[in-house]
């Protein structure tokens, strides 16, 4: 049975779905206010780990993930995403090369766009080969903010000195 809960983060309200098989989705929700309520047992650890992540007290998620119903290619991309270390980035082309399919750069981008498990499967850590921020389903500002959270020295915006 699929369970659902909501988690209010500093980045907005996230809807979390999953079962005893694992987390199926973590998506930004437009519900206002963010619904409160009991957290189903199968989602409790996900909420705890997300909370620690946003407090910068967790750098690696340890959760069961349920990618059932998705294509083998997408799953192979998402499995590469979870290997990207906290505070680091990689490129779409580097992932395509890792998958022994260097021409699949656009397909890697599409798999990122279709990632159902935001934050935990860190598609925000994938940038263009040039180093530019590109394509994030919640917008480039959110992508930058997530990268700033993980690595403020590399991704923080420059403030005025005077």
């Amino acid at each position: 049975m699929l369970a659902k809960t909501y988690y209010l983060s500093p980045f907005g309200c996230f809807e979390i779905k999953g079962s005893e098989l694992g987390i199926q989705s973590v998506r930004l929700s437009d519900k206002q206010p963010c619904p409160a309520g009991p957290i189903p047992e199968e989602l409790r650890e996900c909420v705890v780990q997300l909370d620690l992540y946003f407090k910068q007290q967790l750098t690696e998620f340890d959760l069961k993930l349920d990618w059932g119903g998705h294509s083998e290619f997408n799953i192979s991309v998402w499995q590469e995403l979870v290997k990207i270390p906290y505070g680091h980035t990689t490129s779409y082309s580097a992932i395509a090369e890792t998958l022994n399919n260097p021409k699949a750069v656009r397909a890697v981008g599409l798999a990122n766009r279709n990632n159902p498990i935001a934050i935990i499967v860190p598609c925000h850590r994938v940038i263009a080969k040039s180093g530019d921020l590109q394509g994030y389903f919640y917008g480039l500002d959110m992508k930058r903010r997530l990268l700033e959270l993980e690595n403020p020295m590399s991704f923080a915006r420059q403030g005025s000195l005077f």
Side-chain angles (χ1 to χ4, degrees):
M1 185 173 165
L2 194 62
K4 177 170 76 171
T5 194
Y6 292 88
Y7 168 70
L8 181 59
S9 80
F11 289 73
C13 180
F14 284 92
E15 179 188 77
I16 305 165
K17 292 181 183 175
S19 69
E20 63 280 347
L21 297 175
I23 302 303
Q24 285 187 350
S25 71
V26 175
R27 297 183 184 273
L28 201 57
S29 172
D30 58 2
K31 293 198 182 237
Q32 295 295 329
C34 192
I39 301 169
E41 179 64 33
E42 52 269 69
L43 304 178
R44 201 162 286 142
E45 186 60 24
C46 181
V47 170
V48 167
Q49 289 188 33
L50 281 169
D51 197 51
L52 291 171
Y53 168 82
F54 285 112
K55 291 177 180 175
Q56 296 180 297
Q57 297 172 356
L58 181 88
T59 60
E60 188 174 328
F61 291 96
D62 183 20
L63 298 165
K64 291 190 306 184
L65 304 177
D66 179 5
W67 287 318
H70 295 282
S71 75
E72 280 186 43
F73 180 80
N74 282 0
I75 293 169
S76 69
V77 171
W78 301 334
Q79 288 172 332
E80 290 304 313
L81 296 180
V82 297
K83 295 176 186 176
I84 306 168
Y86 180 91
H88 292 81
T89 58
T90 192
S91 68
Y92 299 97
S93 59
I95 291 174
E97 289 173 20
T98 299
L99 297 173
N100 295 318
N101 196 348
K103 294 183 179 181
V105 176
R106 287 180 187 250
V108 167
L110 189 57
N112 275 10
R113 180 182 177 140
N114 292 324
N115 171 17
I117 308 174
I119 314 299
I120 295 164
V121 178
C123 55
H124 62 277
R125 296 180 189 157
V126 183
I127 60 176
K129 191 175 185 177
S130 66
D132 292 338
L133 297 186
Q134 282 186 338
Y136 189 58
F137 41 63
Y138 299 128
L140 294 182
D141 185 56
M142 171 77 95
K143 187 172 193 164
R144 176 175 292 285
R145 288 178 58 213
L146 288 167
L147 292 172
E148 281 179 27
L149 174 79
E150 293 183 10
N151 189 340
M153 295 301 288
S154 293
F155 293 100
R157 295 176 194 265
Q158 288 290 329
S160 174
L161 294 176
F162 305 101

